Amino acid sequence: MRALFEDSINRILADHVTAALLQKAEAGEWQETLFNLLDDGGFARASATEISGGVGAPWPDLFPVVFACGRHALPLPLPESLAACWLLEHAGIPVPKGRLTLGRASAGTRLEKRAGEWRLHGSLDAVPWGGAADFVVTSVAHDGGPHLVLAKRSQAVVHRNQNIAREARDGLEMSGATVQAAVPYFKDATNDPVQNFGALVRSAQIAGAMDRMAELCVQYANDRVQFGKPIGKFQAIQQQLAVLASESASVSTAAEYAFAMAGQEQPGFAIACAKARASEAAGKAAAIAHAVHGAIGFTYEHSLHYLTRRLWSWRSEFGTHAFWSEQLGRQVCERGGEGLWPLIIEQQGRWEEGGWRG
């Protein structure tokens, strides 16, 4: 299934995610035709079971799909839809028909149960394509633990906004709105499930974008001639390309590791490793790519900025490098000095049991 996903998604996105489409998306135009194409192809619900219109694909098989979304700078919430479907099913909430996205609740947002109905008081900030989605999945602390919440976007007041990459990041205001469902989420009760799985997909998107950036840099270094030879022949450029390639490989490995762990109990440690590593590398990779390309990399006509602006945005979404590093530090400290090595061995064992493809 993994090879089929990888071939199909890369072919579709290579054919359809053009500079013209990206420019329309940046102008605020929802890409209905491409979303329907991906939905009809089974990608938007691939993580859901057949009864919900999916194929029940495990996270390791979905890694190349989300990686490709980053590599091609897809301006649609496909990664968010995969995460939303998976979270809903694992919380026992039926997956509704329609476009799904993820949203993080702002501070002070609360749930209330009144006359048998759940109501949401508060707002969701920077929701990916929140204004275009039919449903949003969020998590809210209630009764001492996270509750997974499914809400209709039509119940919210939408405040349009964009991130640095000009991707839609809308605010959804819900003042006592009735929600479709709200259930306790016990899979990893120590963390916010929406933040966890949002960070998971962003780590793979960052890996994909960095992989494409490395390709662009190598191609440009071989094509651009200065002082009678390609700039890629200069040792200083070669060193920068080597650093970029190393960072790209490191982030891809960390993200794929997190995808291998995502379907298991307590995936938080692997996800924290992946997002911390990806967020740290994103800025360094963008700086190297623009240094190699020189002035042309800053022009709107060149494709590099579609990737670098996404890296600058995604590195902060669903938790920064500092946030996830702190989470890792807390988990390590809880084990104590004697517990660090057993923790690493434990993760390696779970990785191998999880079917890591090696």
Side-chain angles (χ1 to χ4, degrees):
M1 188 185 296
R2 179 186 171 108
L4 181 63
F5 277 150
E6 189 168 11
D7 291 344
S8 301
I9 190 71
N10 278 297
R11 188 168 58 251
I12 291 172
L13 298 187
D15 288 345
H16 292 85
V17 183
T18 61
L21 182 139
L22 287 167
Q23 288 169 17
K24 289 178 181 176
E26 290 197 354
E29 184 178 316
W30 167 256
Q31 299 305 307
E32 182 78 18
T33 302
L34 178 55
F35 186 85
N36 289 340
L37 179 64
L38 294 168
D39 196 21
D40 293 343
F43 289 104
R45 293 168 177 265
S47 60
T49 55
E50 289 185 27
I51 198 170
S52 299
V55 294
W59 280 110
D61 287 353
L62 294 172
F63 175 75
V65 176
V66 183
F67 183 90
C69 292
R71 183 178 164 80
H72 295 275
L74 175 68
L76 288 169
L78 178 60
E80 290 84 352
S81 178
L82 292 172
C85 288
W86 192 89
L87 284 169
L88 288 175
E89 286 211 320
H90 282 75
I93 301 174
V95 179
K97 292 183 178 179
R99 298 189 288 257
L100 289 158
T101 188
L102 295 177
R104 294 200 61 214
S106 61
T109 299
R110 61 183 175 86
L111 269 175
E112 177 192 29
K113 195 166 189 179
R114 187 193 309 168
E117 288 188 335
W118 285 101
R119 294 177 182 273
L120 190 63
H121 299 268
S123 61
L124 311 181
D125 298 329
V127 179
W129 288 277
D134 297 308
F135 296 92
V136 58
V137 175
T138 187
S139 60
V140 179
H142 183 76
D143 265 352
H147 278 52
L148 199 70
V149 178
L150 173 66
K152 263 188 175 180
R153 190 267 298 162
S154 59
Q155 295 281 322
V157 176
V158 178
H159 301 283
R160 301 283 181 181
N161 206 350
Q162 291 181 318
N163 62 12
I164 297 171
R166 298 180 188 168
E167 296 176 306
R169 294 293 184 267
D170 303 319
L172 301 182
E173 186 179 335
M174 297 187 174
S175 302
T178 303
V179 300
Q180 306 305 107
V183 300
Y185 190 86
F186 294 119
K187 186 173 178 63
D188 190 349
T190 59
N191 288 305
D192 175 341
V194 167
Q195 182 169 33
N196 263 9
F197 282 82
L200 174 74
V201 296
R202 285 291 182 273
S203 66
Q205 288 175 274
I206 289 173
M210 288 178 62
D211 184 70
R212 177 58 181 152
M213 279 171 47
E215 278 187 10
L216 289 174
C217 287
V218 171
Q219 180 182 340
Y220 184 77
N222 285 328
D223 292 344
R224 176 80 167 91
V225 175
Q226 189 72 28
F227 305 116
K229 58 183 180 181
I231 62 172
K233 297 292 184 184
F234 292 100
Q235 202 168 39
I237 299 296
Q238 291 174 350
Q239 192 272 338
Q240 298 232 48
L241 293 176
V243 172
L244 176 56
S246 300
E247 292 288 331
S248 175
S250 171
V251 171
S252 292
T253 302
E256 193 158 10
Y257 161 65
F259 271 66
M261 297 292 103
Q264 300 188 26
E265 294 297 323
Q266 305 292 327
F269 186 85
I271 292 172
C273 289
K275 187 58 165 66
R277 188 70 192 89
S279 293
E280 180 187 33
K284 187 186 297 184
I288 291 174
H290 280 293
V292 170
H293 278 78
I296 195 171
F298 288 90
T299 61
Y300 195 76
E301 289 71 20
H302 198 280
S303 61
L304 182 64
H305 68 91
Y306 292 117
L307 299 169
T308 54
R309 285 188 290 118
R310 278 169 170 75
L311 289 187
W312 289 326
S313 299
W314 293 344
R315 65 182 176 180
S316 300
E317 294 181 352
F318 299 107
T320 62
H321 166 243
F323 173 83
W324 287 109
S325 296
E326 183 179 338
Q327 299 303 307
L328 282 176
R330 288 181 185 277
Q331 293 185 48
V332 170
C333 290
E334 285 173 2
R335 297 284 190 113
E338 298 296 322
L340 177 57
W341 185 246
L343 175 62
I344 294 171
I345 297 300
E346 176 189 319
Q347 292 295 317
Q348 183 178 356
R350 294 178 63 195
W351 186 0
E352 291 168 354
E353 289 171 9
W356 167 253
R357 67 191 179 90

